[in-house]
Amino acid sequence: MHIIDIIAKKRDGMVLTKNEIDFLIQNYTKGFIPDYQMSAFLMATYFQKMNDQEATYLALAMRDSGDSIDLSAIPGIKVDKHSTGGVGDKVTLILGPLLASLGVKFAKMSGRGLGHTGGTIDKLESIPGYKVELKVEDFINQVNTIGIAIVGQSGDVAPADKKLYALRDVTATVDVIPLIASSIMSKKLASGADAIVLDVKVGHGAFMKTEEEAIKLAELMVSIGRLAGKKMTAILTGMDEPLGHKIGNGLEVYEAILTLQGKGPKDLVDVTIEIGAHLLLDSKIESDFEKAKIRLHEALKNGKAYAKFLELVKAQGGDLDSLKNPENLLSKKLVEVKATSEGYIMDINALDIGKAAMRLGAGRETKEDDILLDVGLDLHQKIGSYVKKGDVLATLYVQDKGVEEAKVLVHDAITIGSIKKTLTLIKKTIK
Ligand code: URA
């Protein structure tokens, strides 16, 4: 088998075999195929695409390039969720304890944030003492004991994807649906879960800007997961404005706590309950979707979900006292952004809000950047609210970094006008 023949086959729009895709990934990971040939292959794929079967072979080959987590020591059905990334998306922090409080096994490896989107692991680190690294046996014991563990990625998960993603980034080949789908799924398939719900975000704050693209990506990821033997669901949810009100690491933990105490904003609660209901059914704990939703709402209201969150934090070494007054997780230096006209909030550009949080230090521009855990912003308005000139649109929690730039970004991200818009948050379910 020769790499030149594989490149030529893809260039000419032909379908690759499993052996050819395995050859490509194994030899690229070992360094036997140079970047210039892989770049040619990626560009050929950009134009000629891949069918579902090829994308599945690619996901499996990338999964098999590194470690997979073996969760077989945890009895029963293990679940996982993945979001394609948005602004203010703190769903995992709520969903995990909520599901575990109803008996679901939530063994989750999460990532750090990059660019305008945050990561669960950074958020959890804003709780003093919370350990994001556990030995595999401790991770499994914790799930067996309390039903939940949330840790950072350990081991060498899908190294082929890491190498390939870095190359795609510099060869203008990120934006190819089969490559995105196989990249995401290579890591999900390594996570050891039996049932996975994908939250595919769509809108200007998301990777996928149109519903059509998001549906294609969601369908392909569901197909890859299913061909690999997983129970799969994808939901398409709007990222036309940030999810909830608070953006930034400590701020998102704060909003997650409020939500776990039954005081969360409607959009955040709705997305969490929707994903949770699918996973409650997948875990065979409930058989009726509407009843599953009711049980999840009840667990948020009756304190069960919050009690499970405290158990999780305690088990992973976090300081429970710091959560009694979550404002302590936040900077005390506040700056307000005010409305300069009157009317309805017609748009909140989530991408620019995410960038503002990043400028304040809440997010990383490169993987090596340090972040500040106590900065970010609290948006007081959502699309459809009415504001008067001088009303506070957002409070920024700042240190010394990026304050003026963030103020302008937040102010300009919010469009005020004469039309009262309503948004559809949960746009589609793909099973
Ligand atoms: N996220 C990933 O993990 N991979 C992609 O290709 C795009 C987004």
Side-chain angles (χ1 to χ4, degrees):
M1 209 175 285
H2 295 285
I3 174 67
I4 299 176
D5 298 333
I6 296 176
I7 299 170
K9 212 171 156 185
K10 191 39 72 191
R11 179 201 62 200
D12 296 340
M14 290 157 78
V15 174
L16 299 180
T17 63
K18 179 175 185 316
N19 281 347
E20 286 164 334
I21 290 175
D22 286 347
F23 173 89
L24 188 74
I25 293 304
Q26 284 165 12
N27 286 291
Y28 181 60
T29 313
K30 289 184 195 141
F32 300 154
I33 293 175
D35 279 352
Y36 56 81
Q37 284 183 313
M38 192 49 122
S39 303
F41 174 80
L42 290 172
M43 195 51 84
T45 306
Y46 182 92
F47 287 109
Q48 298 291 2
K49 313 289 183 246
M50 279 184 173
N51 68 23
D52 288 14
Q53 188 64 71
E54 288 174 288
T56 306
Y57 291 147
L58 181 59
L60 293 175
M62 293 199 293
R63 176 197 66 185
D64 294 340
S65 69
D67 301 333
S68 286
I69 296 126
D70 179 6
L71 297 179
S72 59
I74 303 170
I77 298 166
K78 279 76 68 179
V79 307
D80 197 2
K81 65 80 75 162
H82 177 79
S83 157
T84 57
V87 178
D89 184 353
K90 68 276 295 171
V91 167
T92 298
L93 297 176
I94 307 154
L95 179 73
L98 172 58
L99 284 174
S101 78
L102 295 172
V104 176
K105 299 284 167 50
F106 199 79
K108 176 109 181 102
M109 297 219 171
S110 282
R112 295 192 180 276
L114 187 61
H116 70 281
T117 62
T120 301
I121 289 305
D122 296 324
K123 292 169 199 177
L124 284 169
E125 275 186 343
S126 61
I127 303 171
Y130 189 99
K131 284 199 300 273
V132 298
E133 280 169 26
L134 292 183
K135 282 198 233 129
V136 176
E137 57 265 41
D138 294 339
F139 175 69
I140 287 175
N141 278 343
Q142 187 175 311
V143 179
N144 277 333
T145 320
I146 65 167
I148 180 168
I150 307 180
V151 297
Q153 243 140 35
S154 71
D156 198 13
V157 174
D161 172 64
K162 243 176 244 150
K163 199 171 167 194
L164 209 55
Y165 197 18
L167 187 62
R168 285 166 57 206
D169 214 16
V170 293
T171 54
T173 53
V174 168
D175 229 356
V176 190
I177 285 179
L179 295 182
I180 298 172
S182 49
S183 163
I184 293 174
M185 289 308 293
S186 67
K187 291 166 282 197
K188 284 291 105 186
L189 296 178
S191 79
D194 308 297
I196 302 167
V197 174
L198 304 166
D199 180 5
V200 180
K201 301 283 183 200
V202 55
H204 44 44
F207 212 48
M208 297 287 117
K209 309 290 178 208
T210 69
E211 217 167 301
E212 200 191 342
E213 284 177 313
I215 291 172
K216 269 199 215 152
L217 177 65
E219 285 178 345
L220 182 51
M221 291 195 292
V222 165
S223 164
I224 293 174
R226 204 160 282 152
L227 287 167
K230 307 285 178 188
K231 181 118 185 58
M232 296 296 303
T233 309
I235 61 168
L236 247 64
T237 65
M239 191 33 69
D240 300 305
E241 64 178 343
L243 195 58
H245 293 273
K246 300 184 199 295
I247 297 115
N249 299 290
L251 278 140
E252 294 191 38
V253 169
Y254 187 3
E255 191 162 55
I257 290 173
L258 292 174
T259 308
L260 285 158
Q261 293 172 334
K263 297 177 280 189
K266 184 171 180 339
D267 59 344
L268 179 58
V269 172
D270 285 354
V271 173
T272 307
I273 298 281
E274 185 78 15
I275 298 172
H278 287 294
L279 289 173
L280 217 47
L281 261 57
D282 291 344
S283 303
K284 305 209 182 313
I285 287 175
E286 183 52 72
S287 56
D288 179 272
F289 194 70
E290 289 312 312
K291 280 195 194 140
K293 282 182 157 183
I294 293 170
R295 284 179 69 178
L296 290 160
H297 275 294
E298 275 169 8
L300 290 179
K301 291 275 174 218
N302 66 18
K304 268 179 92 163
Y306 185 55
K308 187 55 80 177
F309 176 74
L310 294 179
E311 255 185 89
L312 165 72
V313 171
K314 186 168 175 215
Q316 290 192 221
D319 172 18
L320 293 185
D321 281 342
S322 71
L323 302 182
K324 287 191 183 135
N325 195 355
E327 281 100 345
N328 289 341
L329 304 176
L330 315 179
S331 171
K332 300 283 172 288
K333 205 165 153 189
L334 310 184
V335 174
E336 288 180 338
V337 177
K338 293 186 176 168
T340 45
S341 59
E342 175 166 350
Y344 291 104
I345 304 287
M346 288 179 50
D347 190 33
I348 304 180
N349 187 309
L351 180 60
D352 287 340
I353 297 289
K355 282 185 188 160
M358 190 163 78
R359 299 282 182 268
L360 292 173
R364 296 181 183 80
E365 280 178 60
T366 71
K367 275 190 188 149
E368 289 71 37
D369 287 350
D370 286 330
I371 55 168
L372 301 171
L373 298 172
D374 61 351
V375 304
L377 56 110
D378 192 353
L379 282 171
H380 302 299
Q381 314 295 340
K382 301 289 280 183
I383 290 179
S385 326
Y386 193 83
V387 292
K388 295 213 170 73
K389 196 171 163 180
D391 281 355
V392 180
L393 296 174
T395 302
L396 311 188
Y397 290 72
V398 307
Q399 290 198 21
D400 298 326
K401 219 174 143 182
V403 180
E404 287 312 311
E405 206 186 336
K407 264 172 79 175
V408 174
L409 269 167
V410 172
H411 178 269
D412 294 354
I414 301 175
T415 308
I416 298 173
S418 58
I419 300 167
K420 183 173 167 57
K421 286 209 296 191
T422 47
L423 298 175
T424 309
L425 185 61
I426 295 158
K427 296 171 188 285
K428 202 173 168 67
T429 304
I430 293 157
K431 278 235 170 232

